[in-house]
Amino acid sequence: MALANELGIPEEAIELRFIRSGGPGGQNVNKVASAVQLRCDLKAWPSLPERVRDRLRTLAGRRLTADDEIVISAQRFRTQEHNKRDALERLGEMIAQARIEPRVRKPTKPSRASKERRLQGKQQRSDIKKARKVTNDW
C-alpha cells in the first residue's frame, strides 16, 4: 500500500479483494485469484476537501456505489501484484484529475468587427441562394 500512502489515502479507506479473473487462460484461471477489486471509501477519508470529493464522484461515474465507494476492477495482468499496482495507479490518476481546479469561464461580448463579419457572411450566403432562384417575370 505504499502507493496509497503516497497519494495520501488513509489505510482504512482502501479495501482490496482478490477475485478470479475471467477470460482465456486455461486451468490457471479457475484456480488463481489474480484479479483485484479495489474499493475506496470516500466517507473514511475525512481530510479530502469537499470540492475534490465532489469532482471525484463525478469522475467515478458508474464506478461509484450508493455507499459512496469507488470500485475499480483490475484484471489486465496475470499476477495479483501487477493488478494491485494497476488498480492503485488508476485510482491515483482519478484523484489527480479531481484535484485539478476547473477554470471558470468568463463570459465575453463579441466585438463589433466580429458581428459585422458574421452578418457579412450571412449576406453573402443569402446572395448565393438568391442567385439560384429562377424568376418568372411575365
Side-chain angles (χ1 to χ4, degrees), residues 32-45:
V32 181
S34 61
V36 175
Q37 188 179 61
L38 179 139
R39 290 178 169 271
C40 179
D41 188 3
L42 296 180
K43 291 179 288 192
W45 192 358

Side-chain angles (χ1 to χ4, degrees), residues 45-57 98-99:
W45 192 358
S47 63
L48 187 68
E50 196 58 41
R51 295 167 80 173
V52 174
R53 188 183 313 262
D54 290 340
R55 285 194 294 272
L56 200 52
R57 285 183 186 119
R99 285 195 169 139

